[in-house]
Amino acid sequence: MNDHVNSETTTSRKILKPRRLALLGTVAALGVAVLAASPGSSPVSMTSLITPAHAADVAATPPGFGDLVAKVKPAVISVRVKIDQDNDKSAMLQQNRMDSDEDSPFDQFSRQFGFRLPGGMNGMPRQRHQVITGEGSGFFISADGYAVTNNHVVDHAESVQVTTDDGTIYTAKVVGTDPKTDLALIKVEGNKKDLPFVKFSDQKPRIGDWVVAVGNPFGLGGTVTAGIVSASGRDIGNGPYDDFIQIDAPINKGNSGGPAFDMSGNVIGVNTAIFSPSGGSVGIGFDIPASTAKLVVAQLKDKGAVTRGWLGVQVQPVNADIADSLGLKDARGAIVDNPQDGSPAAKAGIEAGDVITAVNGTAIKDSRDLARTIATLTPGSSVKLDVFHKGESKTVTLALGEVPNERQAKADDGKAQQSPGTPRLGLSLAPAGDVQGAGQKGVVVTEVDPQGPAAQHGIQTGDVILNVGGKAVANIGDVRSELAQAKSSGKRSVLLQVKSAEATRFVAVPLA
């Protein structure tokens, strides 16, 4: 009986030994090392346990982030600002920067993400001057002390201090800011030549890639979190150039302006905003892409400000109804609602109703894509636009202007464009000249059926319909004629150019 037990134990040990070596082999593979078989073990057994494909997968998994963090963390800084303003300006800044239960889950940049304000700003006695302090993050991009952070971190700052990972404190100045992308460039004062710095990545991160965020959450100093790239091209409604990278590495208040690194130690994005119903990290953070940051920072360093190319058009997305009414095969591109007088687009002959489908040969997805693409180009540069004009495709070459008085090519979010409804328009119309005075063009909407398709597509009483199906209309007969023509042509919807108090836009209303 004992012999049987001993024999079984020996057998168990022989079986366990190769398994143990297999685990050790996994660890060795992580370190890219070769493990020789120990005496008495079978090399064949190890080979059978770890296939080449499995070994490659294991080797690709990082054992940790220690080496990466040691490499990049010295370049990450804490940014502390002071704002000494009179009471009226301070009150305005407090309103902009305080945490608020009324904020939407997409925390406003300067309210919920970047600052630790001295507690209890509500109820403070009115003073002639108040000092507001805020803390964020940033990172050096050159050995002589240029650093990147968020615009909202240094906005209205009277003084800026940066603290490095080793505790050294420097005074810094603001070189330039760009509120449109929420980026700022600062520089350590003095003749510095040996500060640690990091570089922006030249590669667009893939969804699922590892990402490491380093920053100054809640003023705690250099803190590291890790996760993956969750999504790209996110639009969170901050502005016409939204193109955020979404990451799930935990980031909190004070991380604002800090870097997110890839596994090579290059910056893939600048931490800017979080989605947070609670005010803390829930694993949904947003970064300004490195490609955007590089362009903006280069201009801030050279000129202290950012200039962007300008077409001078108001545009909206092409949805399925608009595409069908125009005869476009795909619902892509940006339809021009109204070219501004004297703009580069107007001078080049672009008209209302034209659809811009590509810029310099690169396809345009929608109106926001057009705004972002044009904004990356230099004023004065020549561009080629592919335009769908009255049923035909053509190429237009023009020189971009510079955005005048900070006006941007407005990208309509298309929320007024809804799903098709009933075939009738549900409108009462009258010639605009009869209602609004002689010389007025189009037909004015005098009544809207709230259950009709026009109402469902955002048309309201007082709106003026300028053309139907690409043809100018002056009376009800013109409208009926064009509706009949569109229906007889087999179109499921008709395109209306509508002028409201806010803007002129195109609306595709279903016919059937």
Side-chain angles (χ1 to χ4, degrees):
M1 185 71 175
N2 289 338
D3 290 343
H4 176 70
V5 171
N6 290 339
S7 174
E8 194 170 41
T9 302
T10 301
T11 302
S12 298
R13 287 174 180 170
K14 288 181 179 178
I15 293 172
L16 288 172
K17 198 168 189 180
R19 290 182 179 174
R20 180 169 176 267
L21 289 173
L23 294 175
L24 292 175
T26 302
V27 175
L30 294 177
V32 195
V34 178
L35 178 65
S38 62
S41 64
S42 171
V44 176
S45 299
M46 289 185 63
T47 303
S48 64
L49 289 170
I50 305 179
T51 65
H54 177 65
D57 289 341
V58 171
T61 305
F65 303 100
D67 291 341
L68 170 63
V69 172
K71 174 183 175 182
V72 302
K73 194 163 177 279
V76 182
I77 57 177
S78 299
V79 180
R80 183 178 178 84
V81 302
K82 290 185 179 180
I83 303 169
D84 187 4
Q85 296 282 2
D86 60 53
N87 192 71
D88 291 338
K89 290 184 178 179
S90 292
M92 177 184 69
L93 292 171
Q94 291 164 23
Q95 180 65 30
N96 288 339
R97 289 181 173 171
M98 287 174 54
D99 291 351
S100 170
D101 292 337
E102 296 179 358
D103 283 336
S104 70
F106 283 114
D107 296 339
Q108 296 301 312
F109 293 160
S110 54
R111 291 191 186 188
Q112 295 248 61
F113 193 58
F115 287 85
R116 297 173 64 244
L117 296 178
M121 298 299 268
N122 285 330
M124 288 186 65
R126 294 182 63 86
Q127 301 174 6
R128 182 183 179 89
H129 288 87
Q130 297 185 46
V131 176
I132 301 176
T133 62
E135 291 178 334
S137 305
F139 54 97
F140 288 123
I141 58 170
S142 67
D144 56 352
Y146 282 98
V148 174
T149 186
N150 280 147
N151 169 69
H152 75 261
V153 171
V154 297
D155 189 28
H156 294 91
E158 296 290 330
S159 64
V160 180
Q161 282 187 338
V162 302
T163 305
T164 61
D165 190 49
D166 62 6
T168 304
I169 299 176
Y170 297 102
T171 300
K173 65 178 180 179
V174 178
V175 177
T177 63
D178 181 39
K180 296 291 190 299
T181 56
D182 195 30
L183 286 168
L185 182 67
I186 61 177
K187 187 182 185 302
V188 168
E189 294 184 339
N191 188 21
K192 305 298 179 184
K193 295 182 179 180
D194 57 353
L195 293 172
F197 65 95
V198 290
K199 297 180 180 180
F200 287 111
S201 174
D202 293 326
Q203 303 294 324
K204 182 179 180 180
R206 300 174 304 167
I207 296 173
D209 280 352
W210 286 107
V211 61
V212 174
V214 186
N216 179 37
F218 303 106
L220 294 172
T223 299
V224 179
T225 56
I228 63 170
V229 175
S230 303
S232 61
R234 289 299 199 205
D235 171 13
I236 62 175
N238 179 59
Y241 311 124
D242 280 12
D243 186 25
F244 294 105
I245 298 169
Q246 180 183 329
I247 65 174
D248 72 349
I251 51 180
N252 288 283
K253 302 174 188 178
N255 274 114
S256 188
F261 294 100
D262 61 19
M263 294 306 295
S264 297
N266 295 318
V267 178
I268 65 164
V270 182
N271 301 328
T272 298
I274 57 174
F275 180 91
S276 177
S278 64
S281 173
V282 294
I284 301 177
F286 299 97
D287 280 30
I288 303 162
S291 57
T292 299
K294 281 192 293 186
L295 293 173
V296 170
V297 167
Q299 289 201 52
L300 292 178
K301 186 176 181 179
D302 291 342
K303 299 180 290 187
V306 176
T307 57
R308 295 182 169 89
W310 179 61
L311 270 180
V313 292
Q314 179 182 341
V315 292
Q316 69 183 68
V318 175
N319 61 17
D321 288 339
I322 291 176
D324 177 71
S325 65
L326 292 175
L328 282 169
K329 294 180 180 180
D330 300 312
R332 297 178 64 88
I335 185 169
V336 177
D337 290 331
N338 185 34
Q340 299 180 26
D341 292 339
S343 67
K347 292 178 180 178
I350 293 177
E351 302 176 358
D354 287 351
V355 178
I356 300 173
T357 58
V359 175
N360 290 334
T362 302
I364 292 299
K365 180 181 178 182
D366 53 28
S367 54
R368 189 170 296 276
D369 190 20
L370 175 65
R372 286 196 298 256
T373 301
I374 296 299
T376 63
L377 302 176
T378 307
S381 61
S382 177
V383 297
K384 291 183 178 180
L385 305 179
D386 291 351
V387 178
F388 190 76
H389 173 77
K390 295 183 178 179
E392 297 181 355
S393 296
K394 67 176 183 177
T395 299
V396 176
T397 301
L398 55 80
L400 293 177
E402 181 178 339
V403 180
N405 302 322
E406 291 301 309
R407 288 182 298 171
Q408 308 292 339
K410 183 179 179 182
D412 188 280
D413 60 10
K415 290 181 179 178
Q417 312 302 322
Q418 300 179 14
S419 59
T422 58
R424 63 189 182 88
L425 295 184
L427 295 175
S428 295
L429 305 172
D434 293 348
V435 178
Q436 299 179 342
Q440 298 297 318
K441 297 180 179 180
V443 292
V444 66
V445 177
T446 59
E447 186 177 352
V448 181
D449 180 356
Q451 303 301 319
Q456 294 176 15
H457 286 68
I459 296 177
Q460 301 177 3
T461 300
D463 287 349
V464 177
I465 299 175
L466 299 176
N467 70 57
V468 177
K471 299 290 184 65
V473 294
N475 52 56
I476 299 175
D478 291 343
V479 175
R480 289 174 176 168
S481 175
E482 295 306 323
L483 291 177
Q485 177 63 33
K487 189 170 184 179
S488 64
S489 300
K491 293 182 178 179
R492 295 190 298 270
S493 57
V494 64
L495 194 65
L496 309 180
Q497 186 183 26
V498 181
K499 181 181 179 182
S500 64
E502 293 79 19
T504 300
R505 70 189 192 280
F506 281 93
V507 179
V509 179
L511 293 173

mmCIF file of all heavy atoms in Angstrom, residues 124 127 197 287 313 452:
data_model
loop_
_atom_site.group_PDB
_atom_site.id
_atom_site.type_symbol
_atom_site.label_atom_id
_atom_site.label_comp_id
_atom_site.label_asym_id
_atom_site.label_seq_id
_atom_site.Cartn_x
_atom_site.Cartn_y
_atom_site.Cartn_z
ATOM 1 N N MET A 124 -18.754 83.799 0.162
ATOM 2 C CA MET A 124 -17.583 84.556 0.567
ATOM 3 C C MET A 124 -17.927 86.033 0.613
ATOM 4 O O MET A 124 -18.684 86.537 -0.208
ATOM 5 C CB MET A 124 -16.415 84.322 -0.397
ATOM 6 C CG MET A 124 -15.783 82.965 -0.289
ATOM 7 S SD MET A 124 -14.321 82.838 -1.338
ATOM 8 C CE MET A 124 -13.240 84.041 -0.566
ATOM 9 N N GLN A 127 -15.036 91.268 -1.711
ATOM 10 C CA GLN A 127 -13.758 91.918 -1.472
ATOM 11 C C GLN A 127 -13.362 92.694 -2.724
ATOM 12 O O GLN A 127 -13.807 92.401 -3.825
ATOM 13 C CB GLN A 127 -12.682 90.881 -1.142
ATOM 14 C CG GLN A 127 -13.025 90.039 0.076
ATOM 15 C CD GLN A 127 -12.000 88.932 0.275
ATOM 16 O OE1 GLN A 127 -10.998 88.875 -0.417
ATOM 17 N NE2 GLN A 127 -12.259 88.070 1.222
ATOM 18 N N PHE A 197 12.373 66.131 -21.309
ATOM 19 C CA PHE A 197 11.214 66.418 -22.141
ATOM 20 C C PHE A 197 10.787 65.167 -22.895
ATOM 21 O O PHE A 197 11.523 64.185 -22.983
ATOM 22 C CB PHE A 197 11.514 67.556 -23.128
ATOM 23 C CG PHE A 197 12.564 67.236 -24.159
ATOM 24 C CD1 PHE A 197 12.212 66.759 -25.414
ATOM 25 C CD2 PHE A 197 13.921 67.400 -23.865
ATOM 26 C CE1 PHE A 197 13.178 66.453 -26.370
ATOM 27 C CE2 PHE A 197 14.896 67.111 -24.820
ATOM 28 C CZ PHE A 197 14.516 66.635 -26.061
ATOM 29 N N ASP A 287 -8.839 63.033 -24.716
ATOM 30 C CA ASP A 287 -7.539 63.634 -24.981
ATOM 31 C C ASP A 287 -7.533 64.350 -26.321
ATOM 32 O O ASP A 287 -8.094 63.859 -27.306
ATOM 33 C CB ASP A 287 -6.448 62.555 -25.015
ATOM 34 C CG ASP A 287 -6.009 62.142 -23.636
ATOM 35 O OD1 ASP A 287 -6.836 62.207 -22.714
ATOM 36 O OD2 ASP A 287 -4.851 61.739 -23.464
ATOM 37 N N VAL A 313 -18.039 79.587 -45.325
ATOM 38 C CA VAL A 313 -19.313 78.951 -45.635
ATOM 39 C C VAL A 313 -19.969 78.465 -44.348
ATOM 40 O O VAL A 313 -19.288 78.100 -43.390
ATOM 41 C CB VAL A 313 -19.146 77.750 -46.590
ATOM 42 C CG1 VAL A 313 -18.724 78.209 -47.963
ATOM 43 C CG2 VAL A 313 -18.163 76.731 -46.029
ATOM 44 N N GLY A 452 -47.093 67.640 -38.863
ATOM 45 C CA GLY A 452 -46.622 67.476 -40.233
ATOM 46 C C GLY A 452 -45.118 67.277 -40.316
ATOM 47 O O GLY A 452 -44.377 67.558 -39.362
#
